[in-house]
Amino acid sequence: MLKVNHVYKSFGEFELNDIHFQVNDGEYFVILGPTGTGKTIILESIAGMYNIDKGDIYIDDLNITNVLPENRNIGLVYQSYLLFPHLSVRDNIAFGLKARKTKKQDINLVLDEITKMLNIKHLLNRKTNNLSGGERQRVAFARAIVTNPKILLLDEVSSALDPNTKREFQINLKKIHKKLHTTTIHVTHDFNEALYLADRIAIINKGRICEIGTPEDIFNHPKTDFAAKFIYGNNLKYGDEDNEQRQIL
Ligand SMILES: Nc1ncnc2c1ncn2[C@@H]1O[C@H](COP(=O)(O)OP(=O)(O)OP(=O)(O)O)[C@@H](O)[C@H]1O
Ligand SMILES: [Mg+2]
């Protein structure tokens, strides 16, 4: 379980203001909000890239607020796939495992499994500089997930992809989450993506969380004016299907 406990972080003009939420074990939690509202800063604060001004972050009962990023056991994947250009796909994905001195045969087993799941096994020996956007993003995702992070943070991971590749990538995200149950926070602008993937959604505006709820709550019964305007401005409606049947509308 991840708990973000009344967190504040100021950057002069911009401030994260009393960010408070909890993500349960195995939950897929989506943060949805307009540009410039602090979504990336929330993820980077959880990952430990900033010292927050006030508040605490817990993983289970452990207060990790002052723990170094590399010791938090958190995976972070960005929109722009930050791969090592001089390394092969195999070495990119295995990077974190090698750093942990994982045995070669264990690395091979994990690589085999994840690359089959993401349909990138045939790319293992390629360099990353001439991969397509969708392939690069699957490699970046594989690199984060193979280290078995306690928490996985995804920042607009599909937003640079064309519609078909995006849809495929979202299906991959859902499939892998169903198998591994990694506690995930996924930041997006994309309502369809939020509906398709989220167990719960937080709507954020101007450095504050406006509202947290299930997709059904948020899309059918928004409680705040901002959430209602933000959502109904996008003309989406939520079907009553259960999670399995939920469609990208
Ligand atoms: N290191 C920094 N120093 C100063 N200001 C920053 C810093 N990082 C982000 N900001 C500002 O804080 C605000 C929130 O940034 P953030 O990147 O979290 O937005 P976002 O919600 O992720 O937006 P987008 O959807 O466009 O990615 C922005 O106005 C940004 O310019
Ligand atoms: Mg951002």
Side-chain angles (χ1 to χ4, degrees), residues 19-203:
I19 298 294
H20 186 74
F21 62 95
Q22 194 168 311
V23 184
N24 299 318
D25 277 341
E27 193 174 22
Y28 203 109
F29 190 85
V30 168
I31 297 179
L32 190 62
T35 186
T37 50
K39 302 183 298 298
T40 296
I41 296 179
I42 293 175
L43 293 192
E44 291 180 340
S45 299
I46 295 169
M49 289 153 84
Y50 305 115
N51 293 321
I52 55 180
D53 299 336
K54 206 165 133 193
D56 298 287
I57 298 170
Y58 292 87
I59 295 183
D60 299 331
D61 290 329
L62 193 68
N63 187 334
I64 59 155
T65 314
N66 298 313
V67 172
L68 288 172
E70 58 269 33
N71 296 331
R72 291 189 182 199
N73 197 10
I74 289 176
L76 174 59
V77 185
Y78 283 103
Q79 171 181 358
S80 51
Y81 357 84
L82 304 171
L83 300 175
F84 304 116
H86 56 291
L87 297 181
S88 65
V89 167
R90 178 191 302 281
D91 289 341
N92 264 279
I93 300 176
F95 190 83
L97 294 172
K98 284 186 181 164
R100 292 175 185 198
K101 311 236 181 299
T102 310
K103 283 197 212 126
K104 196 168 178 193
Q105 73 202 66
D106 293 337
I107 292 181
N108 287 340
L109 280 177
V110 176
L111 278 182
D112 188 60
E113 189 185 16
I114 193 70
T115 55
K116 273 186 192 152
M117 278 163 93
L118 287 164
N119 195 20
I120 48 174
K121 194 165 159 52
H122 58 293
L123 303 175
L124 274 170
N125 296 319
R126 290 262 299 272
K127 285 270 190 292
T128 59
N129 49 6
N130 55 5
L131 299 176
S132 73
E135 289 166 345
R136 293 168 72 84
Q137 199 52 297
R138 278 178 285 165
V139 173
F141 180 79
R143 189 176 61 183
I145 199 92
V146 286
T147 58
N148 195 20
K150 185 85 183 147
I151 312 284
L152 182 64
L153 306 175
L154 305 175
D155 192 2
E156 310 244 12
V157 281
S158 73
S159 58
L161 306 176
D162 68 73
N164 286 338
T165 316
K166 184 177 199 170
R167 176 72 212 254
E168 247 175 57
F169 188 68
Q170 289 164 345
I171 292 169
N172 276 312
L173 288 178
K174 187 151 188 139
K175 185 175 77 180
I176 288 178
H177 184 255
K178 210 167 166 182
K179 191 166 159 84
L180 303 179
H181 303 288
T182 309
T183 306
T184 302
I185 304 182
H186 182 150
V187 157
T188 182
H189 289 113
D190 183 328
F191 288 67
N192 290 322
E193 184 164 82
L195 270 174
Y196 179 62
L197 292 167
D199 293 319
R200 282 187 306 144
I201 296 172
I203 303 274

